Amino acid sequence: MKSKELSELIFEGVVTLTIVYLLYMGMLMILARLVSAPPVLLRQMPSLRSVVLIVDAFMSIYRDIFQWIAAIFAGVFTWWRLARRYKQMQLGHILDELHYIAAGNFDYRIDANNSGSYVDVVNSINTLVESTVEAMEEERKIEQSKDELITNVSHDIRTPLTSIIGYLGLIEAGQFETNEEATRYIHIAYTKALQMKVLVDDLFEYTRVRQPTTPLLLKTINLGHFLEQVAADYELESRKRNVEIEVFLKTDPLMVEVDVDKIARVFNNLISNALKYGHGATWIHIEAEKIGSEVVIAVKNNGERIPSKALEEVFGRFYRVENSRSKETGGTGLGLAIAQSIVALHGGYIYAESDEKETKFVLHLPLEQKGKKEEKANA
Ligand code: ATP
Ligand code: MG
C-alpha cells in the first residue's frame, strides 16, 4: 500500500469515527429534550411518552454499558467502511496492473498473494492473460511458418527453374554443337520441369489435406489385400535394391473404412522412404493388427537409424534428414507431412521410432469413420 493510500484510510477512519460520535451525542441530546420538553405530539400519546421515559431511565442506569455498545458499534462500523475502501483500492491496483499488461507487458502477472479477497478474480485474470498470450504466440508461429513455407517453396522452385532457364537459354542462343547435345539440354529442362510439377502437386495436396474439413471418400476395404497390392507395386524396385518386402497380418481378415487413394499415398510414401533412406536395409516389414476399435499398422525396415533429434522433425514439411544426401533422391520433404495430415483426417495418428535394430513408422487408425458417415452419404 502506498503512503497516500494509508493517509487516505486514516483520514476516512477519523471522519467515520467523528460522524458516529456526533450521531451518538445528537441521539442523547434528542432523548434529553424529549424528556425535559416533550413536543405536543408526545404529550398527546401517553404510552409513547412512557416508552421514552423508560428508555431514558434505562440509559441513565446503564450509561456505561450504552457507551460501550456505542463504542463497539463505532469500531465495527469504521472497520467495515475501511475494509470496503481498502477493497476498492485493491481493485484499483488490479485494474492498473491490467492496464499495464494490456499496454504490451505480456510477461507481467498480477500477484495473487497480495490480492486479499480478490485471489480468485486475480487467478482467473492471470489464466485469461496466459491463454491470450498463448493464442497470440500460436498466431505468431503460424504467421512465421507461413513465411517459412513461402521461403522453402520459392527456394525449391527456383533451383529447377534456374536450370530450365539455363538450358533453354543455351538452345535459344544456338549454343550447341550437335542435335544430340540440344536434345540432352531439352531433356534436362524437361526433367527439371517434371520435378517442379511434383513439388507443386505435393504442395497442393499438402494444403488440401491440412484442412480438417477435407471430405474423405470412404470405403470399407480388406486391409490385408490392400497392403499386399501396395507392396507389390514396389517389387521391381525392392529387388533392384536387394530388399525384401513382406506383409504380416496378425488379424485376418481385417476390414477398415478409409479413403483408399489417400491411405495408399501414405503407404506409398512410407515404403518408398524405407527403400530410399533405409540405407543398408535387407527387409521392409508391414505389420497390421486390430487392437480394440483401431488398427495398428507398422512399416519397419532394418536400415540405418534415424537420429533421435531428426525423429522429432521428420513429420515437419520440407524436412529431410541430412539435406544433401536426401536431395539426390529427389524428394520434396512433404511426404510425411502429408501422411500425418491424411492419418489425422481419418481420426488417427502416426509416429516414428528408430534404433540400431530397426526404424518403424506406426499408424493408428480407427476401424470405422463414425462421425464421417453422413459426409459419405451426402457425397
Ligand atoms: P517426398 O516424400 O515428398 O518425396 P521425402 O521422402 O524426402 O520427400 P518425407 O517422406 O517427408 O520426405 O521424409 C522426410 C525425411 O525423413 C526423409 O528425407 C528422410 O531423410 C527421413 N526418412 C523418412 N523415412 C525414413 C526411413 N524409413 N529411414 C530413414 N530415414 C527416413
Ligand atoms: Mg517421402
Side-chain angles (χ1 to χ4, degrees):
M1 202 188 322
K2 295 176 203 144
S3 59
K4 185 172 159 263
E5 287 170 343
L6 188 66
S7 43
E8 214 177 291
L9 276 184
I10 292 172
F11 176 72
E12 179 127 0
V14 172
V15 169
T16 314
L17 278 176
T18 314
I19 291 172
V20 174
Y21 179 72
L22 289 177
L23 270 175
Y24 176 69
M25 293 310 284
M27 221 178 65
L28 286 186
M29 274 166 67
I30 290 169
L31 194 63
R33 178 124 188 114
L34 285 180
V35 175
S36 59
V40 186
L41 193 72
L42 208 58
R43 263 182 272 148
Q44 282 167 355
M45 294 166 75
S47 54
L48 199 60
R49 177 129 199 251
S50 50
V51 170
V52 170
L53 289 175
I54 290 170
V55 170
D56 183 53
F58 217 69
M59 282 197 57
S60 26
I61 300 169
Y62 298 106
R63 180 158 290 250
D64 281 356
I65 294 177
F66 271 105
Q67 272 172 357
W68 274 111
I69 291 175
I72 290 170
F73 172 78
V76 170
F77 183 63
T78 313
W79 177 255
W80 175 74
R81 293 250 310 174
L82 291 186
R84 239 182 45 158
R85 189 79 197 92
Y86 182 60
K87 269 184 151 187
Q88 272 177 3
M89 285 173 176
Q90 275 182 328
L91 200 60
H93 284 181
I94 293 172
L95 283 176
D96 286 348
E97 287 177 271
L98 256 182
H99 283 137
Y100 180 70
I101 295 174
N105 303 291
F106 299 120
D107 288 337
Y108 186 81
R109 293 291 173 274
I110 305 172
D111 185 6
N113 294 327
N114 289 335
S115 313
S117 52
Y118 291 111
V119 175
D120 287 345
V121 179
V122 168
N123 281 335
S124 308
I125 291 175
N126 280 341
T127 315
L128 194 70
V129 171
E130 203 77 48
S131 52
T132 311
V133 170
E134 264 170 33
M136 281 164 57
E137 184 63 18
E138 189 77 7
E139 188 84 5
R140 201 186 56 76
K141 275 197 192 136
I142 291 172
E143 202 56 40
Q144 190 185 359
S145 100
K146 273 187 188 156
D147 289 347
E148 272 169 20
L149 181 70
I150 294 171
T151 314
N152 280 325
V153 173
S154 323
H155 178 264
D156 281 20
I157 285 181
R158 197 173 51 188
T159 318
L161 200 57
T162 313
S163 288
I164 294 171
I165 294 170
Y167 284 103
L168 291 184
L170 289 178
I171 291 168
E172 201 193 36
Q175 288 184 5
F176 55 89
E177 314 260 296
T178 58
N179 270 353
E180 281 83 64
E181 200 176 357
T183 317
R184 198 166 62 82
Y185 291 169
I186 292 172
H187 177 72
I188 297 174
Y190 178 64
T191 322
K192 296 288 170 187
L194 285 181
Q195 200 180 320
M196 270 174 68
K197 182 169 166 12
V198 170
L199 170 66
V200 174
D201 285 349
D202 276 0
L203 201 63
F204 182 70
E205 180 71 4
Y206 171 72
T207 44
R208 216 168 71 93
V209 293
R210 285 269 294 174
Q211 305 291 329
T213 47
T214 303
L216 292 177
L217 223 84
L218 294 170
K219 213 172 127 188
T220 302
I221 55 160
N222 181 319
L223 189 71
H225 293 172
F226 169 79
L227 292 174
E228 292 284 1
Q229 259 171 35
V230 179
D233 290 343
Y234 289 90
E235 210 180 283
L236 211 69
E237 201 178 334
S238 61
R239 210 178 298 156
K240 222 164 55 187
R241 292 173 189 255
N242 269 328
V243 179
E244 196 184 1
I245 304 186
E246 268 186 287
V247 177
F248 298 93
L249 229 57
K250 291 188 184 159
T251 318
D252 199 19
L254 218 172
M255 306 303 288
V256 278
E257 193 179 18
V258 290
D259 183 319
V260 185
D261 287 346
K262 289 200 169 58
I263 288 294
R265 187 176 177 132
V266 173
F267 285 103
N268 279 326
N269 183 45
L270 291 180
I271 297 171
S272 71
N273 279 355
L275 283 171
K276 279 194 286 186
Y277 312 117
H279 299 276
T282 52
W283 51 255
I284 295 171
H285 289 173
I286 307 167
E287 300 171 2
E289 119 181 78
K290 185 182 136 184
I291 298 177
S293 62
E294 55 178 26
V295 54
V296 181
I297 313 156
V299 178
K300 304 179 176 179
N301 70 272
N302 62 339
E304 200 176 282
R305 87 179 275 188
I306 305 178
S308 49
K309 211 173 161 295
L311 217 48
E312 295 163 17
E313 314 255 14
V314 285
F315 292 100
R317 60 190 181 205
F318 295 114
Y319 184 82
R320 295 161 208 151
V321 183
E322 277 181 45
N323 240 333
S324 58
R325 185 187 70 193
S326 305
K327 196 89 187 176
E328 292 160 25
T329 51
T332 62
L334 279 169
L336 286 174
I338 293 174
Q340 191 177 43
S341 295
I342 290 176
V343 173
L345 277 180
H346 283 79
Y349 57 96
I350 180 170
Y351 62 90
E353 274 173 5
S354 185
D355 56 28
E356 298 305 334
K357 243 174 62 218
E358 61 181 29
T359 292
K360 62 176 177 185
F361 285 81
V362 186
L363 264 91
H364 286 242
L365 283 175
L367 290 170
E368 273 182 89
Q369 298 293 319
K370 290 195 186 81
K372 302 202 168 106
K373 275 271 168 11
E374 285 152 48
E375 280 171 35
K376 184 183 160 192
N378 296 337

